Amino acid sequence: MWLPFDNPKKMDYSVLKRSSLPEFAYIRVLNGDTESIVFLENERIVGAWHLDLNTLEENNGHTAMEKIEINQDSLIEVYEADEDLFRTLIELNDESKLSIPIEAEIILNEMFPDVSSREELLKKYRIQVPGDEAIERLINDYKS
């Protein structure tokens, strides 16, 4: 896998929304003992690479996509590239190209959930906030 060190620009993904993803980007996912790179063009995944750091097994393309995992402990870095640099990256990492691009929704939903309010998050994860009566009942049960 060949990636530049001085360019492109690393983006702050903590405030990044799916709608503000750059037209040309690559995403680096560090997850425990694996590293993955996903190449994005116009919200479509056009290439992928995956490395198991324990076995040093490398996977490219669709096989790499099957192995990418994103969880709460994953470190995600988003890099923006201009079109020329992006084309160069794809050309130099030709083995990582997908034969058919994949809608980026499958991976972006994991990284950048489009939830903006506390209520939406609670609803999404089916978390019910206890009311005053429930809290009072818990306190009384605890005291007895």
Side-chain angles (χ1 to χ4, degrees):
M1 173 60 55
W2 183 89
L3 296 172
F5 288 100
D6 57 347
N7 201 6
K9 179 177 101 180
K10 183 176 177 184
M11 302 185 70
D12 180 8
Y13 72 89
S14 64
V15 295
L16 187 67
K17 296 285 184 201
R18 181 177 24 255
S19 60
S20 65
L21 274 175
E23 185 177 2
F24 301 101
Y26 66 87
I27 298 173
R28 183 174 177 225
V29 180
L30 299 169
N31 187 21
D33 49 2
T34 65
E35 179 179 356
S36 303
I37 304 289
V38 176
F39 293 98
L40 293 177
E41 179 180 0
N42 296 321
E43 290 193 26
R44 295 182 66 81
I45 299 171
V46 296
W49 172 83
H50 180 270
L51 173 68
D52 184 319
L53 298 171
N54 291 327
T55 64
L56 298 180
E57 177 189 4
E58 273 187 90
N59 292 284
N60 295 296
H62 293 286
T63 307
M65 284 300 301
E66 293 172 2
K67 295 187 178 264
I68 295 173
E69 289 183 31
I70 299 171
N71 59 43
Q72 291 180 340
D73 298 329
S74 298
L75 174 65
I76 301 167
E77 299 172 346
V78 179
Y79 294 88
E80 181 178 17
D82 62 28
E83 185 174 5
D84 291 336
L85 177 59
F86 188 81
R87 296 284 172 236
T88 302
L89 287 172
I90 292 295
E91 195 174 305
L92 291 172
N93 297 296
D94 187 56
E95 69 280 355
S96 298
K97 278 200 271 186
L98 300 179
S99 56
I100 299 173
I102 300 172
E103 285 293 329
E105 293 292 316
I106 64 168
I107 199 165
L108 295 180
N109 285 338
E110 296 293 321
M111 290 187 279
F112 311 114
D114 278 340
V115 288
S116 56
S117 70
R118 180 176 187 266
E119 289 76 26
E120 289 177 43
L121 278 172
L122 293 172
K123 183 178 177 183
K124 179 180 177 182
Y125 293 105
R126 295 187 180 117
I127 299 171
Q128 294 182 359
V129 178
D132 292 337
E133 289 178 21
I135 292 172
E136 192 65 39
R137 206 170 35 249
L138 267 169
I139 291 171
N140 289 336
D141 288 347
Y142 178 74
K143 287 180 179 176
S144 58

